[in-house]
Structure formats: structure tokens, C-alpha cells
Amino acid sequence: MRILIIIIAMFTLASCGEKQGKTRLTLGHTLDTRHVVHLAMVHMGERLDHYSNGKMELVIYPGGQLGSEREMIELLQIGSLSMTKVSVSPLEGFVPEMKLFSIPYLIRDREHFWKILEGEIGQSLLDKTAVAKLKGMGYYDAGSRSFYTSDAPINTPEDLIGKKIRVLNSPTAMDMVKALGGAAAPIAWGELYAALQQGVVDGAENNPPSYYLSRHYEIARYYSLDEHTFVPDIILASLPVWDSLDKQQQDWLSQAMADSVVYQKSLWQKASDDALAAVIKEGVKVTYPDKAAFQKQVAPFHATFDNSPVAEQIKKIKSM
């Protein structure tokens, strides 16, 4: 059934390039339409319409209608989808340097996070997506990721021992959970509610808006704000589609993307605070673990990157 859906999507989306003299771009993602990242993409479409004077249109397919994040990346590569929003972690299989964001306790806080994204490292990572026939357009704030569990809070690394935790489809994210004593399961986002409900996993990790809007708090009632990683979302365009646009169209789309980044950043912190307040109101037990024990636990894991291709970037990030 999934293969059939993707085949139908390929033929449907491939026919949407031009309509009545208007260039139509398609964008797929897995999030709820109430999520601020979706709202930012809607804003991008509005700005694109403005800059192009109605000559370009962005059509958004939310909620995983077109498949998982990996499936949509593959649609981009063959030019059957124009754009997608994914977490950078699944990109690790396409652009190995993206593993930087899944290394726990490497990024200290939100200010540090944006210095990385808006600086040389952030731009170089966007540029590296070209090797996978992708065009890195820009980053959205996805806050910090923390553990949530069904039976007991994660307040120390020892609390993860024996726990099966859903993570993003990233080898580094899986190794992170292993380094902390747990077992990792890279389950698709759309399948996670059922996995929590059926006890396939004991918990997961994500930011407050995603935890709240997914309703995972209904099952996983303990949210431990350890903030182990800051993993941004990234907007990707299909490189074949990007190359098919003329210079003016590319400029319109780039400016619309830049506007949406500013808009999304302005919404993110309030959305995160509101989501946290909402789950507390619903009876979720929120805890604030001491990060020192977790940082000590992952120190040997950090050392495994000392002679890796990202060693120099890690050194720069730590020295910022």
C-alpha cells in the first residue's frame, strides 16, 4: 500500500509543474497543520506569491500524506516532489556531516545553536546537500530534544538502562541512546503513537510542540527536559527542480524562504512554552534532570569522533 501511494504521488506531483502560466511547486512534510513549522511553510507560500506577483505557487501536503521523511527525500532526488521539510538527522544517510546535530550535549543552548546555523558551519552543511541531488534552502528552529517515557521519568543515565527509546532515523542518534544505556528504535513518526500505546517502545525524545501536538503525552506521561540535542529542521528543494527554475524564480523562492525563517523563529519559543504548559495542565510530570551526569556519560562517545571527518567542526562548535 505504501509503495502504491508513493507511485500515485509521483505521477500526481510530476504533473503539477505548470498550470495556466503559473509555476507550481509541491512541498510535503509529516507535521500537524497546527505546528509552527507548518505555519512557517504557509507563510513561505504567501511570500512566494507576493514576490512573484502570482506567477509561482507553493502547494503543501502535510501530515505525511506523501510518505515518511526518507521517502520524500527520495522523491526530491528524482524530481517528483519540489520541496520537503525534514529533521536534519535522517539526512545523515545522504550527507554524513549532518551527524553533528545528533551528538548529545554538543550544542549548549538556543543562542549557541543559531550561531552555528547562521555561520560558516551551517552554510557549508546546506551546500553539502548537493551531493545527494538536493538543495539546502534553510533551517527552522526545532528547539531541544528531551526524553519522554511511559512508566518512569529519565532523571539520570541509569534510568535509561533497559529502556527502548524511539529516535530519529540516524545512526548517531541510535548510538547516543546506546551510550546512555538504553536501546534505540528508529520508528517512523506516524507510527510512534501506536508503538507507545502497544508498548513496542518505552518512550521517545522530541521537543515540546511535537510531544504535545502528537498527543504522545496521553501515553508517555513523564517528560524529562534533559535537552540532549538541538536538531534543526531543514527545508530541502529537489536539485533537478531548482535547476529547472530561472534565476529570478530562484531568487523569489530564496527570499520567501528567508522570510519564513524569520517568521518561524518569532513563533517558536512561544509555541514551545505553550506546549509545555498544556501538557503540565494535562497531568504530565515534567522534570529537569541535572545534565552533568549525562554529559559525563557521553564523554567517551564524543571521543569516538576525534579522528572523524567532523572532528574539526566539533572543535569549532565547542570553542564558540
Side-chain angles (χ1 to χ4, degrees):
M1 180 61 72
R2 173 63 74 186
I3 293 171
L4 179 62
I5 290 171
I6 297 301
I7 290 172
I8 291 171
M10 286 171 61
F11 283 103
T12 300
L13 298 173
S15 66
C16 292
E18 295 284 341
K19 186 177 180 181
Q20 298 176 343
K22 179 181 290 189
T23 299
R24 174 177 288 183
L25 302 177
T26 51
L27 188 158
H29 68 84
T30 61
L31 296 174
D32 187 286
T33 54
R34 296 170 293 168
H35 201 290
V36 293
V37 169
H38 173 78
L39 299 179
M41 289 182 276
V42 171
H43 185 71
M44 188 199 311
E46 293 169 349
R47 300 306 294 162
L48 181 61
D49 178 76
H50 168 75
Y51 288 124
S52 69
N53 197 25
K55 295 176 183 176
M56 296 183 75
E57 178 183 19
L58 186 65
V59 181
I60 302 172
Y61 294 85
Q65 294 178 52
L66 304 181
S68 67
E69 291 192 338
R70 185 177 183 90
E71 288 166 339
M72 286 188 282
I73 290 172
E74 290 168 350
L75 287 175
L76 292 188
Q77 292 178 309
I78 59 174
S80 291
L81 179 64
S82 307
M83 302 174 73
T84 190
K85 188 291 303 176
V86 299
S87 171
V88 300
S89 289
L91 269 182
E92 190 178 324
F94 301 87
V95 183
E97 291 85 354
M98 289 292 183
K99 69 179 65 176
L100 281 169
F101 297 104
S102 294
I103 299 173
Y105 306 105
L106 177 61
I107 300 174
R108 294 186 295 274
D109 51 35
R110 195 161 180 256
E111 182 182 0
H112 189 207
F113 172 69
W114 278 106
K115 280 184 179 179
I116 295 164
L117 295 186
E118 294 175 342
E120 177 190 345
I121 292 174
Q123 185 58 53
S124 70
L125 291 173
L126 289 178
D127 294 341
K128 286 180 184 296
T129 61
V131 301
K133 296 184 179 179
L134 305 169
K135 168 70 176 175
M137 298 294 297
Y139 301 102
Y140 285 152
D141 197 339
S144 58
R145 301 179 72 89
S146 296
F147 293 112
Y148 52 89
T149 43
S150 301
D151 57 350
I154 305 298
N155 289 327
T156 68
E158 288 74 22
D159 294 331
L160 277 164
I161 295 173
K163 294 281 194 300
K164 193 170 185 179
I165 304 295
R166 182 267 178 183
V167 294
L168 291 161
N169 188 12
S170 151
T172 309
M174 289 186 272
D175 289 343
M176 171 196 71
V177 171
K178 184 179 178 181
L180 289 169
I187 295 169
W189 180 247
E191 299 169 9
L192 180 52
Y193 189 97
L196 288 164
Q197 195 172 45
Q198 295 163 13
V200 175
V201 291
D202 301 299
E205 44 90 56
N206 217 317
N207 55 57
S210 296
Y211 173 57
Y212 173 58
L213 292 173
S214 63
R215 306 188 75 87
H216 292 168
Y217 66 86
E218 294 176 343
I219 305 158
R221 307 285 290 168
Y222 298 92
Y223 196 23
S224 306
L225 293 177
D226 68 297
E227 299 182 319
H228 46 265
T229 53
F230 286 76
V231 179
D233 283 336
I234 185 172
I235 293 287
L236 297 169
S238 163
L239 194 55
V241 171
W242 173 262
D243 288 341
S244 74
L245 302 175
D246 63 36
K247 178 64 166 60
Q248 188 174 51
Q249 290 173 322
Q250 291 177 349
D251 289 345
W252 287 335
L253 182 56
S254 295
Q255 188 57 58
M257 176 70 221
D259 289 355
S260 75
V261 169
V262 174
Y263 181 71
Q264 194 264 347
K265 282 175 71 176
S266 72
L267 295 180
W268 178 262
Q269 194 57 55
K270 183 178 186 303
S272 186
D273 293 343
D274 288 350
L276 199 57
V279 297
I280 291 172
K281 187 177 179 180
E282 291 291 335
V284 169
K285 184 176 181 181
V286 175
T287 58
Y288 297 83
D290 182 357
K291 295 180 185 181
F294 290 89
Q295 291 165 340
K296 182 179 179 180
Q297 182 76 12
V298 300
F301 180 49
H302 278 215
T304 65
F305 296 97
D306 286 351
N307 297 310
S308 74
V310 295
E312 191 59 35
Q313 291 171 316
I314 290 172
K315 194 177 297 182
K316 288 179 181 178
I317 288 170
K318 287 184 175 181
S319 67
M320 280 184 180

